[in-house]
Amino acid sequence: MKIITDERCAGYSSYGHPENPRRVTATIAHLKQPMDLPLAWTAPGEVSDRQILRAHSPEHLARLKIPEDFDADTPFYENITNYAHASAAAALDAWKAACNGENVFSLMRPPGHHATREQAMGFCYLNNIAIAALEALATGAKRVAVFDFDVHHGNGTEAILLNQPGVAFFSIHLYPFYPGTGGANIGKNCFNYPVTPGSPRETYRATLAQALADLKKFKPELVAVSAGFDAYVRDPLGGGALEPEDFHWLGQSLRAPGVPMFSVLEGGYSRDLPELILAYLKGVEEK
Ligand SMILES: [Zn+2]
């Protein structure tokens, strides 16, 4: 299992914000403890403007350098454009590793799935998973599936990938809930699996199982995963019902089709995040 990370992604923060550096630093510390899952650590490379501009407008790239907050949840930080670039580069590296037959996880921040073509929002600045999926399509992939199990709808990914040929987007999330989208399927290729807030774990699992079955029917040659861990029952922002073993099962299930697959970290704000990520990685490795 390859882990793509860089401790420098812990270099920005604002007091009290749930998307904090500890999410990554505590996970790195947890994964570096002696254990039975062998890990190879690597730092992200580079992402070009050409690659980013498949998913975002030039105006958006320029906006990331202007020192004004994007919304109440999404502050401007000094050098946030560099942090966002590194996180996008890690997603691209994860895709490349997957194409080489490796199991791989991008352990970076900021997350990306709420960022639209034109707008940073919901703690997200560049849409890492969309940038990687569009790069895969631009370099010859014919059937790319993006699977998003973050408890919030991946509105940015959906908006960017809507009706793009060769890619399908599957998102399971609470609805109605932030960001307010994802109540139904849209376009030719965006499939939403809303779960009513307060639903029991069995309902959440059954909905996930339906989404996974539909993903399999799509017969992807590449699976790109927006791995958010905020559907965890004890997540402070979530409101989902999943337990650690559910993330293990998700890892196993997403790996099961046997096609190249990579995951990038989205949300997940509980102190148990390191354990949840490890459970998921063990699932991926076991197949
Ligand atoms: Zn989330």
Side-chain angles (χ1 to χ4, degrees), residues 32-79:
K32 286 199 166 167
Q33 288 180 331
M35 59 166 169
D36 51 2
L37 180 67
L39 299 176
W41 296 84
T42 173
E46 302 281 326
V47 56
S48 69
D49 281 1
R50 190 173 56 87
Q51 289 168 316
I52 293 174
L53 291 172
R54 292 202 180 98
H56 295 283
S57 66
E59 293 75 16
H60 180 65
L61 259 187
R63 170 67 181 88
L64 293 179
K65 296 177 188 162
I66 298 172
E68 284 167 21
D69 291 346
F70 298 89
D71 64 24
D73 296 329
T74 317
F76 175 85
Y77 298 97
E78 198 180 345
N79 296 323

Side-chain angles (χ1 to χ4, degrees), residues 137-151:
L137 290 167
T139 53
K142 299 279 183 271
R143 294 187 75 75
V144 178
V146 177
F147 193 91
D148 185 330
F149 64 79
D150 188 282
V151 80

Side-chain angles (χ1 to χ4, degrees), residues 149-151 153 171-177 181-184 192-209 211 231 238-242:
F149 64 79
D150 188 282
V151 80
H153 179 232
S171 180
I172 167 159
H173 45 266
L174 291 180
Y175 179 87
F177 201 56
T181 49
N192 286 309
Y193 302 83
V195 178
T196 307
S199 296
R201 181 182 174 201
E202 298 71 50
T203 306
Y204 217 108
R205 278 280 296 235
T207 312
L208 275 168
L242 300 184

Side-chain angles (χ1 to χ4, degrees), residues 5-127:
T5 192
D6 183 343
E7 299 239 21
R8 280 177 291 184
C9 78
Y12 71 94
S13 64
S14 68
Y15 182 75
H17 199 291
E19 202 292 282
N20 61 50
R22 193 180 176 281
R23 300 175 64 238
V24 169
T25 55
T27 303
I28 292 174
H30 189 61
L31 296 180
K32 286 199 166 167
Q33 288 180 331
M35 59 166 169
D36 51 2
L37 180 67
L39 299 176
W41 296 84
T42 173
E46 302 281 326
V47 56
S48 69
D49 281 1
R50 190 173 56 87
Q51 289 168 316
I52 293 174
L53 291 172
R54 292 202 180 98
H56 295 283
S57 66
E59 293 75 16
H60 180 65
L61 259 187
R63 170 67 181 88
L64 293 179
K65 296 177 188 162
I66 298 172
E68 284 167 21
D69 291 346
F70 298 89
D71 64 24
D73 296 329
T74 317
F76 175 85
Y77 298 97
E78 198 180 345
N79 296 323
I80 190 61
T81 188
N82 298 344
Y83 293 111
H85 275 68
S87 197
L92 284 173
D93 289 350
W95 161 64
K96 285 179 218 152
C99 294
N100 289 332
E102 294 174 87
N103 286 331
V104 57
F105 187 86
S106 170
L107 177 60
M108 293 286 286
R109 57 193 286 267
H113 74 151
H114 294 307
T116 68
R117 188 170 287 279
E118 305 280 347
Q119 195 183 353
M121 61 178 278
F123 321 161
C124 301
Y125 300 85
L126 291 175
N127 197 309

Side-chain angles (χ1 to χ4, degrees), residues 113-114 123 150-153 178 228-231 237 266-269:
H113 74 151
H114 294 307
F123 321 161
D150 188 282
V151 80
H152 303 100
H153 179 232
Y178 182 87
F229 296 85
D230 42 9
L237 298 196
E266 299 285 1
Y269 307 97

